[in-house]
């Protein structure tokens, strides 16, 4: 342990000689620090990979719920406009712009809106690319209907 550089006495047993004395056995110190065949390192790496994949899935699920909610709110507003105003002809373009502005990564694939004497209907089909790795293509469809409001 703490020896002067000029000290020529032999070291005491087990003191800094590169061996650790465990009862009757003597084992090299570096053997105690070595992992058993690397299996602990592999288990740790597998655990980190599983944790990362689960974390990505949880985060993407959260973003999915938020994006669906935002698109749903935009579709609800569009169908209300269509149900109350028969002259709302540019509703498709406005709805596509609203979705693109409020939901990053959403691309409208198809958009249908129609109004009969009784019901206004809006149908949106969009593909959403989540932040981070795009593991699977996510395509969602939202349809809303509302009774038409007529003047008395």
């Amino acid at each position: 342990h703490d020896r002067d550089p000029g000290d020529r006495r032999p070291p005491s047993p087990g003191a800094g000689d590169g061996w650790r004395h465990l009862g009757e056995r003597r084992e090299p110190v570096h053997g105690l620090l070595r992992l058993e065949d690397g299996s602990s390192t592999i288990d740790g790496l597998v655990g980190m990979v599983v944790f990362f994949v689960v974390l990505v899935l949880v985060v993407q699920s959260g973003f999915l719920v938020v994006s669906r909610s935002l698109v749903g709110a935009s579709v609800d507003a569009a169908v209300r406009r269509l149900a109350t105003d028969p002259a709302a002809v540019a509703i498709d373009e406005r709805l596509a712009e609203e979705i693109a502005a409020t939901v990053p990564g959403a691309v409208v694939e198809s958009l249908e809106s129609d109004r009969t004497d009784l019901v206004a209907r809006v149908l949106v089909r969009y593909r959403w690319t989540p932040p981070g790795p795009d593991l699977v293509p996510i395509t969602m469809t939202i349809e809303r209907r509302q009774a038409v409001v007529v003047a008395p």
Side-chain angles (χ1 to χ4, degrees):
H1 305 133
D2 291 334
R3 294 173 45 134
D4 292 328
D7 191 2
R8 296 192 182 267
R9 290 178 293 155
S12 58
D17 60 352
W19 293 85
R20 175 169 280 174
H21 302 276
L22 301 172
E24 296 291 319
R25 296 182 321 180
R26 291 181 67 197
E27 294 185 9
V29 174
H30 68 286
L32 292 174
L33 299 176
R34 188 172 47 97
L35 297 174
E36 297 177 8
D37 300 327
S39 64
S40 299
T41 304
I42 292 172
D43 291 344
L45 288 175
V46 169
M48 285 192 298
V49 168
V50 168
F51 174 75
F52 177 74
V53 169
V54 169
L55 181 67
V56 166
L57 291 176
V58 167
V59 168
Q60 286 190 357
S61 298
F63 278 118
L64 176 71
V65 169
V66 170
S67 73
R68 183 165 173 83
S69 175
L70 291 172
V71 171
S74 296
V75 172
D76 285 341
V79 78
R80 277 194 306 274
R81 283 192 299 270
L82 188 60
T84 56
D85 184 12
V89 290
I91 199 161
D92 293 351
E93 295 86 18
R94 182 175 175 183
L95 179 57
E97 289 171 3
E98 283 181 12
I99 291 172
T102 58
V103 183
V107 177
V108 175
E109 292 181 348
S110 66
L111 199 146
E112 299 174 21
S113 63
D114 61 346
R115 177 187 163 129
T116 64
D117 292 338
L118 300 174
V119 176
R121 180 181 76 91
V122 175
L123 175 79
V124 175
R125 180 179 172 89
Y126 69 100
R127 185 182 189 310
W128 181 67
T129 304
D134 189 10
L135 301 176
V136 293
I138 300 170
T139 303
M140 291 183 273
T141 303
I142 297 178
E143 180 180 14
R144 299 287 194 265
R145 296 173 185 258
Q146 184 168 341
V148 172
V149 177
V150 292

